[in-house]
Amino acid sequence: MTDQIERIVEYVGKINQTISDQDLLEYTIEAVIDRALLYLGHDKLDERFERIIADVVNGVLLKYITNLEATEPDKAISSVSDNGQSISYSHEAVRYLAAADDDELFGGFARLLAPFRTIKVVGM
């Protein structure tokens, strides 16, 4: 784990002390950082954005936790295959990160981040 991710884990811990799944937390942080870098057009995340990333990560995890608490455990099954005896479980946080557009993922922070976006022009 990098120093930057450790700092973001610490920030998320200050915001929300109920998150116990460290693997999910680290995955979510890494995914949000990747999305932020793509959104901003940067190669490296500036330290100024770490607390914003922590807020976004907390929002994603709160959506996941709320959805998990609102549904019964058997609804966490996303698909069942009869003959192959295969059961697939949904992981709402991972699926949300893959499907959410930038404005939805970053919420009100998209406006805050927008001035720092860089445009990369690809020439022929």
Side-chain angles (χ1 to χ4, degrees):
M1 188 166 29
T2 66
D3 290 341
Q4 188 167 52
I5 292 176
E6 287 178 9
R7 286 191 301 270
I8 296 171
V9 165
E10 184 179 324
Y11 296 144
V12 173
K14 289 178 181 178
I15 299 168
N16 186 342
Q17 293 148 359
T18 64
I19 299 169
S20 59
D21 188 341
Q22 281 300 116
D23 290 336
L24 179 61
L25 175 60
E26 288 177 29
Y27 173 84
T28 305
I29 290 170
E30 290 169 359
V32 171
I33 288 173
D34 290 344
R35 289 285 300 268
L37 291 174
L38 288 171
Y39 178 77
L40 293 168
H42 295 187
D43 296 326
K44 183 180 175 196
L45 188 70
D46 191 297
E47 284 187 36
R48 297 177 294 171
F49 301 121
E50 290 176 359
R51 287 181 179 83
I52 294 169
I53 296 298
D55 286 331
V56 172
V57 166
N58 184 52
V60 169
L61 292 174
L62 284 177
K63 285 181 184 184
Y64 168 68
I65 291 167
T66 302
N67 187 29
L68 187 65
E69 290 172 352
T71 60
E72 297 174 23
D74 61 343
K75 292 186 180 178
I77 298 173
S78 64
S79 68
V80 176
S81 175
D82 189 37
N83 289 336
Q85 298 291 319
S86 155
I87 299 174
S88 298
Y89 296 92
S90 65
H91 208 302
E92 198 63 33
V94 174
R95 191 169 45 175
Y96 175 74
L97 285 168
D101 63 13
D102 292 335
D103 289 333
E104 181 182 354
L105 178 67
F106 296 122
F109 297 108
R111 281 191 175 153
L112 182 65
L113 294 172
F116 298 98
R117 292 181 82 177
T118 57
I119 306 298
K120 293 195 178 189
V121 179
V122 179
M124 293 176 76

